[in-house]
Amino acid sequence: FRRVLFRSVEPADQSAVTITETEARMLAGQSQLLGDRLSATWGLRRDRQQVDTSGNATRDPVTREFSFRVARVASSEFAGNTRTLGLVGRPLPWLGLVFNAADNFVPQTPLDVRGLPVGARRGKGRDLGVKLSLPGNRVHITLSRYELEEQNRAADNAAVTLSLTPAANEIWEALNRPDKTVPANRDSVDNVGSGWELEVTANPTPQSRVSFNANRAEIRQTNSLPRWFSYVAENRAAWLRTGTVPLISPFSGITVGGNAPTVADAVTSLDRALVNITTAEGHMPRQHRRGAANLFSTYTLRGAGAWYDQLTLGGGANYRSKPVTGYDTITGDHVRSEEHTSELQSHHDLV
């Protein structure tokens, strides 16, 4: 059983207080069946998180000073279970079959556009694998296939910080509604995917070791920033009724309207930012790399009494495929960086 209390207080001019309380309880076990030919591990964990947020200073639209506090209080409680099950069967001494399944609940503390906690992240994962031990136990090979689902993952999206939040606050400032000021916030995305993993470990001779691993993952992003889409839709009609009201200089997050943008221009800027966000739907997330591989080898010298006895020489290389850096707004295809990432390594140890 574990209980964690986390309290954060923002600087005085922000006047915000957030208290997060997390509790966790866990039970785990292991069993050996069928004469140790089948091993099972299992676990159950219960998490509960309570978040209390109050106070949010706003700026006077003329002096730009933090003039008073808004008595805004947001409280929420989330609870969920994490279940895991792992099975390893050995029908033959050199053959192992592996199955793992888990669903999880991960508390998250960021606040959304309305100043409410984003809530817990939930996920599911499954994998099947084969383990081979070749004669002499000098080569071990593991090949596995996995699938995953993830909902409500708090996302760091530059559009929230650079476009959406500033544009919304420009509107509320122009309408003299400091009580509506949008706080620093984050939103969420969902991910679904599958992939393969290969791992090989070999000892060709008593003095040499080789390890190699590679993976290929196909991840797709869905349900991007749902709270922001809902927030803009909820306020659109009210904003457009006062669309001719000019914004107050200086402007931030506004992409249209020139030197004299209006509330309607700010709404257009919001819409454009949301359209750009939708280009990620059904595609790999930014910075995702589809494939990766690592190779490393060492050799230990032997020579009784010699200076090089137990000297280990080693070297390796790794490879990373091109990351996704954006999306083509016409074709919807991924835009990747121009170069792969690769690296060579070497080392020596003298024992």
Side-chain angles (χ1 to χ4, degrees), residues 1-259:
F1 170 77
R2 184 181 66 178
R3 184 173 185 267
V4 179
L5 175 64
F6 173 76
R7 180 187 178 95
S8 65
V9 181
E10 300 293 336
D13 62 349
Q14 298 292 327
S15 304
V17 178
T18 300
I19 299 176
T20 302
E21 195 172 305
T22 302
E23 289 185 358
R25 295 177 173 86
M26 184 174 68
L27 179 66
Q30 184 175 24
S31 303
Q32 301 289 332
L33 306 170
L34 303 177
D36 291 342
R37 288 195 174 188
L38 179 63
S39 300
T41 58
W42 51 269
L44 176 63
R45 173 170 167 160
R46 175 73 175 178
D47 289 287
R48 183 190 69 83
Q49 181 184 76
Q50 181 171 329
V51 181
D52 298 295
T53 303
S54 63
N56 186 39
T58 59
R59 282 182 171 178
D60 185 281
V62 177
T63 66
R64 305 294 292 172
E65 294 181 353
F66 289 92
S67 55
F68 61 92
R69 294 186 181 184
V70 178
R72 177 167 57 189
V73 178
S75 297
S76 61
E77 183 174 351
F78 307 95
N81 298 322
T82 297
R83 293 175 287 265
T84 61
L85 172 65
L87 299 173
V88 178
R90 290 201 169 275
L92 298 171
W94 52 270
L95 175 62
L97 304 177
V98 181
F99 171 77
N100 293 290
D103 53 6
N104 57 50
F105 166 95
V106 181
Q108 300 179 124
T109 59
L111 303 181
D112 68 10
V113 61
R114 295 179 176 84
L116 301 174
V118 170
R121 171 165 57 93
R122 299 178 184 273
K124 294 181 180 180
R126 305 286 186 273
D127 69 80
L128 284 169
V130 177
K131 291 178 175 286
L132 299 176
S133 298
L134 300 187
N137 282 327
R138 291 193 174 186
V139 180
H140 300 272
I141 302 173
T142 302
L143 177 63
S144 59
R145 165 76 174 178
Y146 64 86
E147 297 179 350
L148 60 87
E149 296 179 19
E150 189 177 42
Q151 293 85 39
N152 199 43
R153 181 184 185 89
D156 286 316
N157 191 306
V160 173
T161 305
L162 302 178
S163 301
L164 298 176
T165 301
N169 283 336
E170 292 290 350
I171 294 174
W172 294 127
E173 182 183 39
L175 299 181
N176 196 25
R177 293 297 305 273
D179 56 305
K180 293 284 192 176
T181 300
V182 176
N185 66 94
R186 293 169 68 183
D187 209 326
S188 66
V189 298
D190 296 346
N191 292 307
V192 61
S194 60
W196 293 89
E197 292 183 343
L198 172 66
E199 182 173 355
V200 180
T201 303
N203 295 293
T205 70
Q207 296 166 249
S208 61
R209 290 163 294 282
V210 179
S211 63
F212 171 79
N213 62 74
N215 67 77
R216 181 179 177 86
E218 298 285 348
I219 307 296
R220 303 292 171 179
Q221 179 177 312
T222 61
N223 196 27
S224 302
L225 310 191
R227 295 165 185 80
W228 263 104
F229 279 91
S230 173
Y231 182 79
V232 172
E234 175 184 307
N235 291 284
R236 180 184 301 279
W239 287 341
L240 292 179
R241 280 196 297 269
T242 55
T244 59
V245 175
L247 301 182
I248 300 173
S249 179
F251 317 117
S252 178
I254 308 304
T255 58
V256 296
N259 295 324

Side-chain angles (χ1 to χ4, degrees), residues 232-291:
V232 172
E234 175 184 307
N235 291 284
R236 180 184 301 279
W239 287 341
L240 292 179
R241 280 196 297 269
T242 55
T244 59
V245 175
L247 301 182
I248 300 173
S249 179
F251 317 117
S252 178
I254 308 304
T255 58
V256 296
N259 295 324
T262 63
V263 168
D265 293 326
V267 175
T268 300
S269 296
L270 284 168
D271 288 338
R272 288 185 176 183
L274 292 175
V275 168
N276 288 335
I277 289 169
T278 61
T279 60
E281 285 294 298
H283 293 85
M284 294 184 186
R286 283 182 172 87
Q287 301 307 314
H288 175 69
R289 297 176 185 267
R290 179 177 288 166

